[in-house]
Amino acid sequence: MSNAVSEFKIAMIAPSRIGKTSLVTALLQDTKKLLADTPLSIKAKDAKTSARINQHANQLRASLREHEFNAGAMNGTEAPFEFNLLLGGQGQNDHGLNLKLLDFPGGWLPNLLYDADNSQEQRECAAFIRQASMLVLVVDASLVMEASRSNEKKAIDTILQISETQEIVEAWAKERHEDSGEPALILICPVKCESYFNDNGGDRDCAEKLYDKIMDLYGPLVDTIKEQKATKDTEILYMPVDTIGCVNFSHAEWSDLNTNTPVFKPSFCVRGNGKQSVFGANDILLAVAKQILNFQEKYQKMIAQLSKDEADNAKNIAKEKSFLEHFCGWFGVETEKEKLAKLAESNAEEAHKAAITTKDLMKALGHKKYGTRVKELNKAEKT
């Protein structure tokens, strides 16, 4: 498998128009900066992904040029869409890591656990989520922070579909552990956070207030994952991202607050020169790398504890498992890779710069520290 593209599936769980496409675009931009000192790159893997990202970038650029960003004017998700980003060396499209991120209409959330009642597209979406190694719960920071009246605050759970999200996350986490002990990672990812942090050009420091409000909403989910034996090893990270970086919240339109479909449409004023300044999105790639590294360490420890015959049998069985099939071949016992791993442990920054293959990069990034915004809500134990 070391000579083929490996896949890492990420499912984004959120209602429509919450900022999922903006997050993918931010991930692409921030990861490009992260790889600037290496011969590796990240790019759209196919024409559909490239067209979707460019369309969004053009809309955003035009909006910023007018010095007012209206999030509600950006195109929402009306059909499922799979973003494919390729991480690898220049000119080597048949090697590397394919990050596959699924976006789907938020209105599908209530039905995804019930295949019998779903369309073929919905069943395929549900299957992708079951197979995903990472769930990203995307949250509009301005929705959480700017609700002030009682009926606005009450509308938050409905807009974010908190109950539906909890059902999907619990079912996914249990299935991940029941199947094979494969990694299970959940990111609670507030987006459009630039109005509430002062570490990326903003003038307000509301970081703790935002965190407290997010945990009021998602704390019960985190507690459930921690308490249940089948899901207690699921890792959960809080990871705020500035998807735009050069705007401040201005005002919002609320409508249909007393219905089952309340609407929140925020607007932002542009600060400075209006140049986009993504911040925090590269922590998503670090999370992927740490999952791969952690899994590799668990796998090698398991093999070391078995006899040769048992180990060979375990390896053959492992080939049938999707995550193992994708990644166990990356981490063979090779002297040069062991050296890189040791270097990564002692100096992750130098190992990052020295990385010349995707495998090298994953090992190096797996030892780097997250940014200061990230909080580990439930860190999985290494076994």
Side-chain angles (χ1 to χ4, degrees):
M1 293 302 295
S2 59
N3 293 322
V5 172
S6 298
E7 294 181 353
F8 194 98
K9 290 185 176 180
I10 302 172
M12 297 185 289
I13 310 296
S16 297
R17 297 185 183 278
I18 213 74
K20 299 189 288 293
T21 301
S22 294
L23 180 61
V24 176
T25 305
L27 170 63
L28 186 60
Q29 292 184 9
D30 219 14
T31 301
K32 283 181 179 178
K33 289 186 288 186
L34 181 70
L35 301 178
D37 292 332
T38 78
L40 300 166
S41 63
I42 188 168
K43 61 183 180 181
K45 188 175 185 289
D46 54 54
K48 287 184 178 180
T49 297
S50 179
R52 184 67 166 258
I53 289 174
N54 286 333
Q55 178 190 37
H56 181 272
N58 287 333
Q59 286 182 320
L60 177 59
R61 216 172 2 248
S63 184
L64 294 178
R65 193 165 54 243
E66 295 303 313
H67 281 270
E68 185 174 10
F69 173 65
N70 181 352
M74 304 295 284
N75 289 340
T77 301
E78 298 179 356
F81 189 86
E82 193 173 285
F83 292 91
N84 285 285
L85 304 180
L86 179 64
L87 175 66
Q90 292 286 350
Q92 297 183 353
N93 292 334
D94 57 340
H95 294 72
L97 176 64
N98 180 195
L99 294 177
K100 301 173 77 73
L101 299 99
L102 178 66
D103 183 13
F104 59 89
W108 287 11
L109 271 177
N111 301 322
L112 290 181
L113 292 176
Y114 308 100
D115 280 357
D117 302 323
N118 289 340
S119 66
Q120 179 63 28
E121 279 189 328
Q122 289 172 323
R123 287 194 291 271
E124 291 173 357
C125 178
F128 185 104
I129 293 173
R130 287 195 297 269
Q131 297 163 7
S133 297
M134 180 189 297
L135 297 188
V136 182
L137 313 186
V138 187
V139 189
D140 186 336
S142 61
L143 166 66
V144 176
M145 291 291 284
E146 303 302 336
S148 57
R149 296 180 297 175
S150 176
N151 57 351
E152 293 171 354
K153 293 177 181 178
K154 290 177 181 177
I156 293 175
D157 289 68
T158 302
I159 293 173
L160 292 176
Q161 298 175 301
I162 298 293
S163 294
E164 295 87 345
T165 297
Q166 181 158 338
E167 286 186 353
I168 289 174
V169 170
E170 288 178 12
W172 169 83
K174 287 180 181 178
E175 185 165 326
R176 296 296 295 175
H177 286 287
E178 287 173 359
D179 273 356
S180 61
E182 294 175 0
L185 176 63
I186 299 168
L187 304 185
I188 300 175
C189 193
V191 295
K192 293 177 281 192
C193 292
E194 41 278 299
S195 296
Y196 311 109
F197 285 84
N198 62 358
D199 54 2
N200 187 31
D203 56 7
R204 297 173 63 193
D205 182 10
C206 302
E208 289 306 312
K209 184 177 180 181
L210 174 62
Y211 173 74
D212 290 342
K213 285 181 175 288
I214 294 291
M215 291 310 297
D216 282 343
L217 294 167
Y218 292 95
L221 169 60
V222 174
D223 291 340
T224 299
I225 295 296
K226 287 180 178 180
E227 291 165 1
Q228 293 188 16
K229 184 176 181 180
T231 60
K232 66 182 179 64
D233 290 330
T234 301
E235 189 164 5
I236 308 174
L237 301 175
Y238 170 79
M239 192 173 287
V241 176
D242 293 358
T243 44
I244 304 171
C246 60
V247 298
N248 287 325
F249 175 82
S250 172
H251 62 278
E253 296 178 15
W254 297 83
S255 59
D256 301 327
L257 290 177
N258 297 320
T259 72
N260 293 327
T261 55
V263 176
F264 170 77
K265 294 182 178 180
S267 292
F268 302 81
C269 58
V270 178
R271 62 176 182 244
N273 60 8
K275 183 179 179 181
Q276 191 175 5
S277 178
V278 172
F279 191 86
N282 62 22
D283 283 315
I284 296 174
L285 182 61
L286 263 61
V288 171
K290 290 177 185 295
Q291 284 290 294
I292 293 173
L293 183 64
N294 188 21
F295 179 79
Q296 174 258 341
E297 290 173 349
K298 290 181 179 180
Y299 180 71
Q300 288 192 339
K301 184 176 181 180
M302 177 190 75
I303 294 299
Q305 292 172 343
L306 299 173
S307 67
K308 183 181 185 302
D309 289 343
E310 290 174 324
D312 289 342
N313 184 52
K315 289 178 181 178
N316 289 331
I317 294 174
K319 290 178 181 178
E320 300 176 6
K321 298 292 186 179
S322 60
F323 195 90
L324 283 168
E325 183 177 355
H326 291 154
F327 295 115
C328 70
W330 282 21
F331 296 99
V333 181
E334 302 174 26
T335 303
E336 60 181 296
K337 298 297 184 292
E338 289 178 340
K339 289 180 179 178
L340 183 72
K342 290 178 181 178
L343 173 60
E345 291 174 358
S346 61
N347 192 333
E349 291 295 335
E350 289 302 315
H352 167 217
K353 293 178 182 179
I356 59 173
T357 69
T358 308
K359 291 181 288 185
D360 296 342
L361 182 68
M362 288 296 102
K363 282 192 174 183
L365 294 181
H367 290 286
K368 289 188 73 168
K369 293 182 179 180
Y370 289 120
T372 56
R373 291 185 181 185
V374 177
K375 297 181 185 292
E376 295 178 316
L377 306 180
N378 189 37
K379 184 173 175 60
E381 295 294 329
K382 293 185 179 182
T383 58

